[in-house]
Amino acid sequence: MVNLKTRQIMLVVLAALFPGMIALSYFYGIEYWLNFAFAIVIGGCVEALCLKLQKRPLTPALTDASTPVTCLLLCCALPPGTGLWIIAIGVTVAVGLAKHLYGGLGNNLFNPAMVGYAVVLVSFPKQLALWPIPLDGTTAATALTSFKYRLGATVDEIWVIDQGFGSFGGYGWEWINLCFLIGGVLLVALRIAQWRVPAAMLVSLAILALIGYDNGSSGSLGSPMFHLFTGSTMVVALFIATDPVTHPVTHRGQLLFGCLVGCLTFAIRVYGNYPDGAAFAILLANSATPYLDKRLVPARG
Amino acid sequence: MTDLALILIGSLLVNNFVLAQFLGLCPFMGVTRDYDAALAMGFATAFVLTLSASLSHLAYHGLLVPLGLTYLNIIVFIVIIASAVQLTELFLRSVSPLLHTALGIYLPLITTNCAVLGVALTSLGQSLSFLETVVFSIGAAVGFTLVLVLFAALRERLEGASVPQSFRGAPITLVSAGIMSLAFMGFAGFAD
């Protein structure tokens, strides 16, 4: 009974991911679907192996469609040309370590997809930094990376130097983020994801970007629109931060959690070594979730 | 001012003594089984850590350097740490005997907490001024307490998870600590 419900929810999440995936493959090539398919197959194998080792029945866990969601979210964070072996490592860590070591769906403390992504990011930073120029074929840094290592160029100059950056989020990325936003709004409208975490995250990210924005000088940190519609902002806000197991249960806790993710994402993008900080922001906020739950329960949010 | 802020963030988050430099792992694993004990232990260690690092700095530059006895630094620092721990223990025993009993052996063991000596030696190695040493040790102390408290809450949640038999207890705790450490890698570059 419960399982059927999980399965329905996960199928809706899969459907909501579709617009974003289509946008990704439109800009970065149809071979993105090979990554998706490969990740799902490996994820299924790892899950089956974990269940088998624990002598647990295969069917309920394998058919609840939660592993494909994890695998797809992980793949969306990886560039299309990522070696299949990197994807395999990421998926194995996500499903085997972050999910099944904790006892499977509903028991994990950290978002599995983000654990998998963080592990491959710190292990293979070079391979994961290269995104192809959309509809082109050669590889280049993403808008976020260009912002970080621009050697004193102003925002307008970056936009001129890196042809085809689009108008505000980096070419392609604004559409990809918009598509994820559409899917995410659907989830929120269907009450599968609650609105507090993504709202708090996006608002705090936008406010910080607004404070840091100085109309595009060489020291500019990027406009609020840039931060909202570039990199992994929307997919993290609406699909990953909203993972009901790893965010707090109280309303106040969820608002705080969202703010924490937004602030940390901005801080890591601007001050950290990694161009996009959303994955680390999620893991850090996940570490704080039990504490937030513990401290905020008597207050009844 | 910016320098001090960078030193604070550096020792608090980027080079967090537990999750980035892997010092003080014994209390991190030992007392986080219970949330209240972890909180108390965090504050006690934070106090000892700040006090002993500051005093060590004074002793090193005021006593050991003029006398040409800098090779005695580790012994002197350990004496200072042990005295600071004694002070904390006396204080806790008179103020809250209950807490004193709850912390038990872990309280005197602060003396052997490598993070405490580590902070004193690291701040020495970076040739910080007195004010900088104080800020550095406050950052380290807050970072230690923060991580201890977050991890204690996390372990409480772990109790309720249906972790596979072979991973219950220490293994899953270490895996969680590893993932938390991975998360803290996101702070890399903040203090450059």
Side-chain angles (χ1 to χ4, degrees), chain A:
Chain A
M1 200 56 194
V2 178
N3 231 325
L4 192 68
K5 223 173 147 234
T6 315
R7 183 160 150 201
Q8 285 164 342
I9 290 176
M10 289 302 171
L11 288 176
V12 176
V13 175
L14 278 180
L17 266 173
F18 244 71
M21 287 160 63
I22 290 170
L24 272 174
S25 61
Y26 172 75
F27 286 108
Y28 290 113
I30 202 76
E31 57 272 23
Y32 232 121
W33 290 91
L34 177 71
N35 289 4
F36 293 146
F38 179 74
I40 290 177
V41 170
I42 294 284
C45 295
V46 173
E47 175 143 279
L49 184 70
C50 289
L51 292 168
K52 195 103 186 138
L53 285 173
Q54 293 175 61
K55 300 192 174 63
R56 277 168 57 183
L58 292 186
T59 35
L62 261 184
T63 51
D64 69 10
S66 64
T67 304
V69 170
T70 302
C71 297
L72 290 182
L73 286 171
L74 174 63
C75 270
C76 290
L78 302 171
T82 314
L84 291 182
W85 54 282
I86 293 184
I87 295 180
I89 292 173
V91 167
T92 309
V93 169
V95 177
L97 190 124
K99 184 180 171 190
H100 275 289
L101 229 55
Y102 286 91
L105 189 70
N107 289 302
N108 49 309
L109 297 178
F110 302 92
N111 183 293
M114 288 300 99
V115 175
Y117 177 65
V119 166
V120 291
L121 182 64
V122 299
S123 313
F124 314 102
K126 206 174 142 200
Q127 284 88 334
L128 298 198
L130 291 174
W131 285 78
I133 294 172
L135 311 175
D136 186 49
T138 51
T139 53
T142 62
L144 271 171
T145 312
S146 299
F147 251 79
K148 198 166 249 327
Y149 304 106
R150 58 182 160 185
L151 308 169
T154 64
V155 170
D156 285 339
E157 280 167 3
I158 299 178
W159 247 240
V160 175
I161 296 165
D162 293 275
Q163 290 277 321
F165 251 27
S167 46
F168 50 82
Y171 186 64
W173 283 106
E174 48 216 29
W175 290 108
I176 293 166
N177 270 292
L178 191 66
C179 288
F180 279 124
L181 176 63
I182 292 168
V185 167
L186 174 81
L187 289 187
V188 173
L190 290 172
R191 314 238 158 178
I192 288 173
Q194 46 71 46
W195 58 273
R196 286 179 192 81
V197 170
M201 175 188 163
L202 296 175
V203 168
S204 55
L205 182 63
I207 289 176
L208 283 178
L210 195 64
I211 293 171
Y213 188 53
D214 59 356
N215 216 7
S217 78
S218 58
S220 167
L221 310 170
S223 71
M225 282 303 268
F226 171 71
H227 276 284
L228 286 181
F229 284 96
T230 197
S232 55
T233 307
M234 287 300 169
V235 66
V236 166
L238 290 149
F239 289 91
I240 290 168
T242 51
D243 172 6
V245 190
T246 54
H247 72 55
V249 286
T250 60
H251 292 174
R252 273 204 313 176
Q254 289 165 357
L255 289 173
L256 271 172
F257 177 89
C259 284
L260 196 62
V261 177
C263 297
L264 287 169
T265 302
F266 183 77
I268 294 173
R269 276 182 182 176
V270 174
Y271 301 111
N273 286 346
Y274 296 99
D276 200 348
F280 292 105
I282 288 285
L283 290 182
L284 288 164
N286 285 165
S287 322
T289 296
Y291 175 78
L292 288 174
D293 269 345
K294 195 175 166 57
R295 292 309 301 268
L296 293 176
V297 164
R300 274 181 53 93

Side-chain angles (χ1 to χ4, degrees), chain B residues 78-96:
Chain B
I78 287 176
V79 170
I80 290 172
I81 291 167
S83 330
V85 170
Q86 280 303 312
L87 199 72
T88 318
E89 198 174 357
L90 284 175
F91 175 76
L92 264 186
R93 194 182 297 165
S94 59
V95 174
S96 165

